[in-house]
Amino acid sequence: MAEVLVYVDHAGGAVRKPTLELLTLARRIGEPVAVALGDGAADTAATLAEHGAVKVLTHEAAEYADYLVVPKVDALQTAVAAVSPAAVLVSSSAEGKEIAARLALRLGSGVITDAIDLEAGEAGPVAVQSVFAAAFTTRSRVSKGIPVITVKPNSAAVEPAPAAGAVEALDVTFSEQAKGTKVVSRTPRESTGRPELTEAAIVVSGGRGVNGAENFAVIEALADSLGAAVGASRAAVDAGWYPHTSQVGQTGKSVSPQLYVAAGISGAIQHRAGMQTSKTIVAVNKDAEAPIFDLVDYGVVGDLFDVVPQLTEEVKARKG
Amino acid sequence: MSLRIVVPVKYVPDATGDRHFADDLTVDRDDVDGLLSELDEYAVEQALQISENSDDDVEITVLTVGPEDAKDALRKALSMGADQAIHVEDDDLHGTDAIGTSLVLARAIEKAGYDLVLSGMASTDGVMGVVPALLAERLGVPQVTLLSEVALEDGTVRGRRDGDAATEQLEASLPAVVSVTDQSGEARYPSFKGIMAAKKKPVTSWDLSDLDLEAEEVGLEGAYTVVESATERPARTAGTIVKDEGEGGRQLAAFLASQKFV
Ligand SMILES: Cc1cc2nc3c(=O)[nH]c(=O)nc-3n(C[C@H](O)[C@H](O)[C@H](O)COP(=O)(O)OP(=O)(O)OC[C@H]3O[C@@H](n4cnc5c(N)ncnc54)[C@H](O)[C@@H]3O)c2cc1C
Ligand SMILES: Cc1cc2nc3c(=O)[nH]c(=O)nc-3n(C[C@H](O)[C@H](O)[C@H](O)COP(=O)(O)OP(=O)(O)OC[C@H]3O[C@@H](n4cnc5c(N)ncnc54)[C@H](O)[C@@H]3O)c2cc1C
């Protein structure tokens, strides 16, 4: 069976969930071979093997952390040369997309970004995309070269499938461009203890209607009762009430959870672009005409400061 | 000293319009008004600020690859304050994908001459966010992308990138490709004076032959990807909407419980 290269997104050896989703999707089109780079690369092997990686190619070097993007492209290019895969899969983070694009260019291949599903097709893998703020669903494929495809988080349910996961060291020689962009410093984001926004099964978001940074406690309390991540509209972020890294939408994170709760958010097209593929959508807004109500499975017209705390209490009560 | 900044700007269908696909599965540009991709306004703004903060002579060229109407996007950027514009226009460009777009842009940028390429983080139609990285790869210069803050000093560009896991401070020497996010600072509105002045600013038109490109390297024919189908997502079935009369939170909780979220 053809091999499929999967780029591993990990933090010091801890594999992020979107990579496990990629392994699941990769098995539809071939045998997954994982590529893990940087600090802790080898520590990823057990998890990757459990999820179907027949092989794990690893390489550790300071360059991956010290310079932007290009060293990773160099390594993937080396891996492609070693494996001749039927496709390369990368998860759709900002960096993942840049890595994929540069790799595709080097390979003389096409690139498809932000797939929400992947199927085996007669002429190679077919990628499903959700475009124009989720108004259309497209099916596309790469017609030249080795398909390089990035897949959005939450696009597949993770299915374990134990495989050999044999670790092999990759021999990478960095290109001249590798040291072009120096990472002078890096400040890791402080963990909130809540699930990662793009990976969470439930997201609770607040908008301008929350009306103040301190009031986000109301949103956080609901999120915690549901075990959810907290998101925000750009209006809330621009007002400084919540960090930009929590922004949901076209220029923020795109999320696709099982449940999305929008409180005090009007539902502008740019916000919808980032959440419209959520499975179930509920909203609380005091304006019955707010466009968000066109999307909802269940909506409450009312003041969020009455509705959300009551909801939180009821959720806690039901969970016992 | 002089500094040449090229800002690639995209002409896109208005996101608040009814965007859809044409029969050949390319974006239908006839039915929806086009405009300068809003995210590219942030790039024009940062180019203007670099110019205003610099002792050097700074020349800002805005560049678009797109159909006849794409001149509107150039006019908008010129009226914000860019100095001149380049329009790459050719019927054979219809249906060009990201790899092809980056090829045309890179050729035009090289022909124009540049010290800094300053682009938006993503277009508002394709939203791939890959063109800046592709340009850096093609031009063989550093990519300093997705910056929420950018500064230029003595031939070095520095900026802040707010990533998923960390905030990074980046640094590279010119020439380089930079892209900026919508956190980099509000874009200015064109003034009346700016709009009048824009009418007199030079707009150069190039076609494929000016860039030594063949028709089969671009367009649908040259594309590295094919769209096999595009289907409109079925409208969501109308949901239940209740008015809060004191029980709204509990009603919502009951709905969440019925869906097994609680
Ligand atoms: C290029 C570009 C990119 C953008 N990217 C994004 C993006 O990524 N994400 C994003 O979110 N936006 C984005 N925007 C902004 C977007 O257009 C909207 O301005 C934004 O989403 C509005 O946020 P909001 O819904 O919180 O605020 P508003 O539109 O002001 O809505 C606030 C809502 O809260 C309701 N409300 C007020 N008080 C209460 C209360 N007490 N109880 C209940 N309801 C209440 C109001 O009825 C109203 O509907 C972008 C815009 C542009 C131009
Ligand atoms: C819904 C949709 C999905 C698509 N999916 C794919 C895909 O998966 N693979 C693929 O190869 N192509 C795809 N395309 C085509 C792709 O969007 C175009 O080729 C486009 O010109 C380049 O990608 P982008 O607009 O997404 O650029 P982005 O990378 O999002 O744009 C970043 C920046 O590059 C500059 N830029 C981009 N295009 C131009 C231009 N024409 N002129 C001047 N500056 C420009 C701007 O500064 C812009 O802010 C898609 C198009 C659409 C409409």
Side-chain angles (χ1 to χ4, degrees):
Chain A
M1 200 155 53
E3 290 171 312
V4 176
L5 222 53
V6 171
Y7 175 75
V8 177
D9 186 9
H10 71 99
V15 180
R16 294 205 170 89
K17 183 167 156 263
T19 298
L20 305 181
E21 295 167 12
L22 290 184
L23 289 169
T24 301
L25 291 172
R27 294 202 304 273
R28 295 190 193 159
I29 48 179
E31 286 193 320
V33 173
V35 181
L37 306 172
D39 248 8
D43 301 340
T44 61
T47 309
L48 298 170
E50 216 176 288
H51 291 85
V54 294
K55 227 189 293 180
V56 182
L57 307 177
T58 63
H59 187 239
E60 298 198 16
E63 278 83 350
Y64 298 116
D66 294 350
Y67 300 93
L68 194 72
V69 176
V70 187
K72 295 169 181 167
V73 181
D74 288 344
L76 267 180
Q77 190 181 12
T78 309
V80 168
V83 172
S84 305
V88 181
L89 304 184
V90 183
S91 63
S92 265
S93 59
E95 186 186 55
K97 293 203 276 189
E98 293 183 333
I99 292 172
R102 296 186 72 136
L103 176 71
L105 189 58
R106 288 188 188 180
L107 298 175
S109 299
V111 59
I112 291 175
T113 58
D114 295 323
I116 56 163
D117 202 2
L118 207 60
E119 292 154 15
E122 268 169 29
V126 175
V128 181
Q129 287 168 296
S130 176
V131 306
F132 290 158
F136 280 84
T137 304
T138 60
R139 300 165 61 84
S140 315
R141 64 184 171 78
V142 170
S143 50
K144 292 182 190 163
I146 299 167
V148 181
I149 300 171
T150 80
V151 181
K152 280 196 184 188
N154 270 341
S155 294
V158 173
E159 293 160 14
V167 179
E168 273 176 37
L170 202 59
D171 189 11
V172 182
T173 312
F174 292 115
S175 65
E176 227 175 275
Q177 276 96 316
K179 296 186 177 184
T181 310
K182 222 186 281 172
V183 179
V184 181
S185 71
R186 177 178 287 116
T187 318
R189 233 168 86 202
E190 251 174 73
S191 164
T192 59
R194 297 192 178 91
E196 191 61 42
L197 187 55
T198 52
E199 301 169 17
I202 302 180
V203 174
V204 179
S205 289
R208 200 194 307 270
V210 174
N211 200 22
E214 62 292 345
N215 297 343
F216 256 84
V218 172
I219 304 294
E220 289 178 331
L222 175 59
D224 292 342
S225 75
L226 290 164
V230 176
S233 74
R234 177 160 156 195
V237 166
D238 281 355
W241 303 339
Y242 226 67
H244 171 60
T245 41
S246 303
Q247 181 177 317
V248 172
Q250 185 186 69
T251 53
K253 300 276 160 57
S254 105
V255 300
S256 198
Q258 295 299 317
L259 172 64
Y260 188 80
V261 183
I265 292 178
S266 61
I269 184 83
Q270 296 90 353
H271 187 78
R272 276 160 34 196
M275 48 65 76
Q276 202 155 346
T277 54
S278 304
K279 308 295 174 297
T280 299
I281 298 173
V282 306
V284 180
N285 194 305
K286 63 181 182 189
D287 175 10
E289 304 295 318
I292 191 82
F293 286 126
D294 297 342
L295 301 182
V296 297
D297 297 284
Y298 199 96
V300 180
V301 180
D303 193 314
L304 74 90
F305 295 106
D306 297 330
V307 178
V308 173
Q310 189 182 66
L311 171 61
T312 307
E313 283 318 306
E314 188 68 20
V315 168
K316 282 197 209 150
R318 281 174 186 261
K319 285 196 165 170
Chain B
M1 279 282 289
S2 78
L3 180 78
R4 295 160 303 170
I5 307 180
V6 178
V7 185
V9 297
K10 193 176 183 190
Y11 178 72
V12 298
D14 187 347
T16 58
D18 185 16
R19 295 178 295 179
H20 52 264
F21 289 86
D23 292 342
D24 65 354
L25 298 176
T26 62
V27 178
D28 190 331
R29 294 174 184 278
D30 296 334
D31 270 13
V32 184
D33 287 340
L35 44 74
L36 167 63
S37 176
E38 281 161 303
L39 295 170
D40 292 343
E41 292 181 14
Y42 295 89
V44 175
E45 176 63 35
Q46 288 307 312
L48 294 170
Q49 288 194 20
I50 287 172
S51 169
E52 287 158 4
N53 296 333
S54 169
D55 300 329
D56 296 343
D57 224 0
V58 180
E59 183 185 63
I60 302 172
T61 305
V62 289
L63 160 68
T64 199
V65 175
E68 162 83 39
D69 295 346
K71 284 203 173 56
D72 287 358
L74 295 175
R75 284 283 164 224
K76 171 89 187 263
L78 289 173
S79 63
M80 287 174 72
D83 300 305
Q84 55 179 9
I86 298 170
H87 185 188
V88 182
E89 189 189 356
D90 198 307
D91 288 345
D92 290 322
L93 284 166
H94 177 79
T96 306
D97 66 1
I99 297 282
T101 299
S102 68
L103 172 65
V104 181
L105 284 172
R107 282 288 170 87
I109 289 164
E110 276 170 335
K111 187 174 162 100
Y114 72 101
D115 301 296
L116 177 65
V117 177
L118 182 47
S119 81
M121 62 184 282
S123 69
T124 58
D125 58 348
V127 214
M128 297 180 72
V130 298
V131 167
L134 288 170
L135 288 177
E137 179 73 34
R138 287 204 186 264
L139 297 169
V141 302
Q143 75 165 77
V144 198
T145 46
L146 296 167
L147 302 185
S148 48
E149 267 172 26
V150 54
L152 194 71
E153 206 185 339
D154 302 329
T156 300
V157 51
R158 295 190 174 81
R160 193 181 86 216
R161 171 161 160 138
D162 294 314
D164 285 345
T167 290
E168 295 165 334
Q169 294 291 339
L170 306 179
E171 186 181 293
S173 359
L174 298 188
V177 176
V178 165
S179 77
V180 295
T181 73
D182 57 336
Q183 299 292 302
S184 59
E186 276 307 312
R188 68 194 64 188
Y189 287 104
S191 63
F192 178 70
K193 213 173 121 210
I195 295 168
M196 295 316 286
K199 299 196 165 139
K200 300 204 189 77
K201 290 178 179 171
V203 178
T204 307
S205 281
W206 286 337
D207 63 11
L208 288 176
S209 66
D210 290 315
L211 300 177
D212 288 322
L213 287 168
E214 302 294 332
E216 55 274 14
E217 291 178 86
V218 297
L220 277 176
E221 198 187 347
Y224 287 73
T225 51
V226 229
V227 181
E228 294 188 329
S229 68
T231 43
E232 195 155 6
R233 192 180 150 106
R236 291 184 88 97
T237 42
T240 308
I241 297 185
V242 300
K243 193 166 172 344
D244 177 37
E245 275 155 354
E247 290 296 311
R250 272 186 279 275
Q251 285 167 295
L252 188 44
F255 170 77
L256 295 183
S258 74
Q259 302 293 308
K260 310 247 181 324
F261 289 117
V262 183

